[in-house]
Amino acid sequence: MLESPIKVKRLSELAESGFLKGKRVLIRSDLNVPQDDVGNITEETRIRASIPAIQMCLDAGAAVMVTSHLGRPIEGEFKPEDSLAPVADRIATLLHRKVPLLSDWVEGGFELHPGDLVLLENCRLNVGEKKNSEALSRKIAALCDVYVNDAFGTAHRAEATTYGVAKFAPVACAGPLMAAELDALSRALENPKRPLIAIVAGSKVSSKLTILKALADKVDELIVGGGIANTFMLAKGLPIGKSLAEPDLVAEAREIMEIMEKRGAHVPIPEDVVVANELSPLARANRVPADQVAVDDMILDIGPKTAARLSLMLAHAGTIVWNGPLGVFEIDQFGGGTKMLAAAIAHSPAFSIAGGGDTLAAIAKYGIQDQVDYISTGGGAFLEFLEGKTLPALAVLEERAKD
């Protein structure tokens, strides 16, 4: 894979050079996993994704500390449900070793030897974490010789453990998960194989307007879905009945289409849609031409003709960026469009990258995890990267790479 033009020190390089031997390494992971009412972890992708960085440091002879946020605790107020204890147990199981969980760790005072691994309690319990307190950042930085950011999902936040510690630690680098994310996003957006097709779907144009505008200058085809597609249909003068849309953003939708058309690029508008009178698992799904949506219809998916046309487009793509399902895929009769496009992405020879919670849920539902080239763990950070925004946690690693 092409390396990102964002130049950062990489943990892999430090490990291979022998630099980590005997060093105290602090890894900022993203272990913010969902749990049920009694604290059982219900989905552990993020924990498994954190293991390579930990193992790399242990294999290199380092003493390893790992921390992460979990949920949204109140700083300075510990509650059992905010504890990383279930995560420590899961890491211990995956690595077949003890993983002590340390609380009140900011002031240090604990012994750590090469080959040791400890988990430091929820970093968002520390007063000053979210506000990127310099005093807190300096204290945490003093605990380590090497700081590793392996939490791309928090890269858009300037907090003590994502930004401040990177600034003050003796050495700051990107872990393998962070590096892979950077490389995949750069491959998709910085120097993509053409045609570059982006799928951006969701309920509101307003929430993704900056992404749509940023991509309008880059992509060859901008496939829109959900409420976003309905707003673009309005902009084309098509009826949308009582579908979710934002009529006040029709001018912006027209502007995006004009920007793309001037470049010879396109926003393909649905030619047929799936409608119903109510959003319910019992609702009857009707396929209608896009210009024949009745006043009491809700558009809940793209139609089969549109899905077939878009699938053909994806089959000939060079690069695909996917963010958002095209219909209400959670209800099967409104999931046909998303299912067909998921299959097209899976079988396309294009380099494909997908991100966002609903997108990951669709990928899981249709079982194409192994056929998407890169699945981003980023969420908000993934979206902000697509927008072309500077991510604070990456900016500070870039700066430190110049040391």
Side-chain angles (χ1 to χ4, degrees):
M1 185 179 289
L2 293 171
E3 272 201 13
S4 166
I6 296 172
K7 295 301 176 196
V8 296
K9 281 186 178 140
R10 297 180 178 231
L11 180 65
S12 55
E13 293 162 2
L14 298 181
E16 286 163 15
S17 71
F19 181 81
L20 298 180
K21 189 173 178 65
K23 297 285 196 300
R24 297 168 303 155
V25 177
L26 172 62
I27 305 173
R28 173 51 159 102
S29 296
D30 183 0
L31 304 171
N32 185 30
V33 290
Q35 295 169 280
D36 63 20
D37 294 339
V38 292
N40 296 312
I41 294 165
T42 55
E43 211 285 320
E44 59 178 40
T45 301
R46 285 176 172 166
I47 296 176
R48 289 183 173 275
S50 74
I51 297 297
I54 296 169
Q55 194 65 60
M56 191 180 288
C57 293
L58 291 171
D59 290 347
V64 185
M65 300 166 275
V66 181
T67 193
S68 171
H69 71 290
L70 180 68
R72 296 180 178 176
I74 298 168
E75 289 185 0
E77 294 183 26
F78 176 80
K79 295 190 185 78
E81 60 267 29
D82 298 326
S83 177
L84 286 171
V87 175
D89 290 344
R90 192 70 198 116
I91 293 174
T93 302
L94 291 170
L95 291 176
H96 309 291
R97 59 174 293 155
K98 286 184 179 178
V99 181
L101 177 66
L102 307 185
S103 52
D104 300 320
W105 50 269
V106 171
E107 303 293 340
F110 52 89
E111 278 195 39
L112 208 58
H113 304 285
D116 286 351
L117 169 63
V118 296
L119 188 61
L120 307 178
E121 188 57 279
N122 194 335
C123 58
R124 283 205 186 146
L125 290 168
N126 299 325
V127 177
E129 167 66 18
K130 291 202 76 172
K131 290 190 173 176
N132 188 26
S133 155
E134 180 172 332
L136 176 63
S137 299
R138 285 185 181 277
K139 280 182 180 178
I140 297 173
L143 298 175
C144 68
D145 303 304
V146 178
Y147 164 82
V148 182
N149 192 331
D150 206 32
F152 180 78
T154 63
H156 57 315
R157 304 188 190 283
E159 298 179 351
T161 59
T162 64
Y163 185 91
V165 181
K167 191 175 175 184
F168 299 118
V171 175
C173 66
L177 185 62
M178 174 75 86
E181 193 93 31
L182 280 181
D183 292 343
L185 283 163
S186 296
R187 179 173 173 182
L189 295 174
E190 301 296 334
N191 189 24
K193 186 179 177 188
R194 302 267 175 187
L196 167 58
I197 299 179
I199 303 167
V200 180
S203 54
K204 293 184 175 183
V205 171
S206 54
S207 65
K208 293 189 178 175
L209 185 62
T210 48
I211 296 171
L212 293 167
K213 284 185 173 174
L215 292 175
D217 287 326
K218 295 178 179 175
V219 303
D220 300 299
E221 303 283 350
L222 180 57
I223 297 172
V224 289
I228 294 174
N230 299 339
T231 304
F232 277 81
M233 287 176 69
L234 269 184
K236 278 288 190 182
L238 291 164
I240 63 165
K242 56 179 183 178
S243 307
L244 182 67
E246 291 174 286
D248 56 326
L249 289 178
V250 161
E252 277 84 350
R254 283 202 190 105
E255 183 189 346
I256 287 164
M257 288 190 279
E258 285 165 10
I259 288 168
M260 294 193 64
E261 281 162 12
K262 280 177 187 169
R263 296 173 40 238
H266 309 94
V267 179
I269 302 298
E271 58 191 272
D272 61 340
V273 290
V274 177
V275 299
N277 298 125
E278 60 175 353
L279 178 55
S280 151
L282 302 175
R284 179 176 171 180
N286 298 306
R287 299 168 185 169
V288 298
D291 60 357
Q292 291 178 30
V293 176
V295 290
D296 61 343
D297 278 340
M298 280 190 287
I299 300 170
L300 299 174
D301 194 12
I302 56 170
K305 282 186 183 175
T306 302
R309 178 166 60 104
L310 298 179
S311 295
L312 189 62
M313 213 176 272
L314 292 167
H316 294 98
T319 308
I320 300 167
V321 179
W322 181 19
N323 174 246
L326 281 96
V328 186
F329 75 99
E330 297 89 346
I331 301 174
D332 284 346
Q333 62 266 42
F334 307 122
T338 303
K339 185 177 184 180
M340 198 162 172
L341 262 66
I345 292 167
H347 295 114
S348 173
F351 173 73
S352 54
I353 180 168
D358 288 343
T359 314
L360 303 196
I363 286 169
K365 178 169 182 174
Y366 302 123
I368 63 164
Q369 296 94 324
D370 296 336
Q371 293 158 287
V372 176
D373 290 296
Y374 194 84
I375 297 175
S376 172
T377 57
F382 175 78
L383 295 180
E384 291 199 12
F385 196 102
L386 293 189
E387 287 177 46
K389 286 186 178 176
T390 298
L391 305 185
L394 297 186
V396 69
L397 289 180
E398 267 195 292
E399 196 58 38
R400 291 303 311 277
K402 297 170 188 172
D403 292 354

